[in-house]
Amino acid sequence: MNVQIEPSWKVKLRPEFDKPYFHELTQFVKQEYSSAQCYPPGKKIFAAFDHCPFQETKVVIIGQDPYHGPNQANGLCFSVADGVPHPPSLVNIFKEIKVDMGKAYPESGNLERWAKQGVLLLNATLTVRAHQAGSHQKKGWETFTDATIKAVSEHLQGVVFLLWGGFAKKKAALIDRTKHHVLTSGHPSPLSANRGLWFGNQHFSQTNLLLNSQGIDSIEW
């Protein structure tokens, strides 16, 4: 199957594209996009990969679902398009960066700037029907994104995985901790953050320290 995805990822994930589950997933997604409003826009479904080539991946952040409100999802987990109000989880991410890194709260919630530095912003499910959270779960996306995590774990070295919340933490089983770094905390959503499980995790400064210890440039968060 000819999938429009960044070339280096296409090489690494090619076996997935020919598996029955991916053919079924493709048919499901095409049907959903033709019959209902879905997010992100079709051309941005693989944006996380397109902005962050395989060999340049230094950090992996795992989300669950794309945002399901109008004009929010842009194919990168936790990210929204320029000019879109910041959802609560993203607000808390930026608040933590402000305290952790001493950086001003940014105007734009578009995290393409992170992706272009080697941060893979991967949702476990890459599409969703408008206003229906979780509507495209268990259709095959999770199998594909798990294969993505395994490919990074197997073929790269020293990647920092940031696993926020119970869902993301389960992905630790896919990661070879003898080769990579795994940082965990509560989710940045208000429910978790307000219980003291997010703020103060210092994941952004810790990530840069781990990268620097390997001679790798910091991320400009």
Side-chain angles (χ1 to χ4, degrees), residues 31-211:
Q31 174 64 28
E32 282 286 286
Y33 272 72
S34 66
S35 63
Q37 180 70 56
C38 296
Y39 303 118
K43 290 183 178 179
K44 295 189 175 183
I45 290 173
F46 294 109
F49 303 88
D50 295 336
H51 291 297
C52 180
F54 182 79
Q55 295 295 344
E56 296 176 22
T57 302
K58 306 191 294 194
V59 180
V60 177
I61 299 177
I62 299 172
Q64 192 161 0
D65 252 21
Y67 296 122
H68 53 83
N71 304 315
Q72 289 183 303
N74 67 350
L76 310 174
C77 72
F78 296 105
S79 173
V80 291
D82 293 319
V84 174
H86 302 174
S89 290
L90 186 58
V91 169
N92 286 337
I93 288 170
F94 287 150
K95 283 181 177 178
E96 176 61 23
I97 290 171
K98 184 177 181 180
V99 173
D100 186 22
M101 304 294 296
K103 294 180 71 74
Y105 189 101
E107 184 177 324
S108 174
N110 191 337
L111 303 183
E112 286 180 11
R113 60 186 183 273
W114 294 3
K116 290 173 180 175
Q117 297 177 74
V119 182
L120 181 65
L121 293 157
L122 184 68
N123 275 316
T125 302
L126 297 188
T127 58
V128 70
R129 188 183 279 215
H131 311 298
Q132 295 184 37
S135 50
H136 288 185
Q137 290 178 4
K138 299 180 181 176
K139 301 295 183 181
W141 278 131
E142 295 90 340
T143 303
F144 175 73
T145 53
D146 280 359
T148 300
I149 296 166
K150 289 176 186 174
V152 171
S153 179
E154 182 177 348
H155 298 289
L156 296 178
Q157 187 85 26
V159 174
V160 182
F161 289 83
L162 304 182
L163 308 183
W164 301 336
F167 177 86
K169 288 175 185 176
K170 292 176 183 175
K171 303 298 182 181
L174 306 173
I175 303 162
D176 183 349
R177 292 186 185 227
T178 66
K179 297 170 59 183
H180 303 285
H181 308 281
V182 177
L183 301 180
T184 63
S185 82
H187 196 275
S189 67
L191 183 66
S192 176
N194 294 339
R195 289 163 50 209
L197 302 175
W198 165 255
F199 291 117
N201 66 24
Q202 300 183 328
H203 275 191
F204 305 97
S205 60
Q206 284 189 55
T207 294
N208 283 347
L209 286 171
L210 289 167
L211 294 175

